[in-house]
Structure formats: C-alpha cells, structure tokens
C-alpha cells in the first residue's frame, strides 16, 4: 500500500497546479465494474462548464493491501 500511496501523491502533485481561480475536486470511486477503487482529480476554471478530469490511481479490491500487518507486528514486538 505504501507504493500505491507514493504513486497517488506523485500524480496529485503532477496535476494539482494551484492555478488562480480554479476549483479542484478529489473523487474516490468504488468501481464495481473493474473491481477497483479509482482516484480522480477534477479541475474547473471559475465560471466555466468544462471540467478537466485526471486519473490518478486505481487500487484493486484486495483486503490484504489494507491490513496493517507489518506495523502491528512491530508494535507487538515492543
């Protein structure tokens, strides 16, 4: 999960340009069709209808990715 988090942050920094009078939305979609979670960044200029949408990351529906196994073992050792 750490590699996926780093990829998400890198893609977010790539597309989040902090432009003046732009509105940004981070969307997290539970995509049942492709069996994954998808992260999108949408950007919209003030008073415009056009929305720019960027795919940031897709994470599969695997519970093993979200289990804090290594951290819990480390805490149990001390």
């Amino acid at each position: 999960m750490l590699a996926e988090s780093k990829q998400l942050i890198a893609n977010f920094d790539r597309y989040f340009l902090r432009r003046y009078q732009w509105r940004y939305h981070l969307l997290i979609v539970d995509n049942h069709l492709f069996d994954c979670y998808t992260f999108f960044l949408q950007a919209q200029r003030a008073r415009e209808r056009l929305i720019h949408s960027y795919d940031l990351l897709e994470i599969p529906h695997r519970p093993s990715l979200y289990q804090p196994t290594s951290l819990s073992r480390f805490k149990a050792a001390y």
Side-chain angles (χ1 to χ4, degrees), residues 18-34:
R18 298 163 183 85
R19 292 181 177 161
Y20 181 68
Q21 291 190 348
W22 281 69
R23 185 179 305 164
Y24 293 92
H25 301 276
L26 180 64
L27 302 175
I28 304 169
V29 177
D30 186 5
N31 192 338
H32 295 286
L33 184 63
F34 295 110

Side-chain angles (χ1 to χ4, degrees), residues 10 12 16-18 42 47 51-52 72 75-76:
F12 185 80
F16 183 58
L17 303 176
R18 298 163 183 85
Q42 291 186 339
R47 297 177 296 279
I51 295 178
H52 305 274
S72 63
K75 286 182 180 179

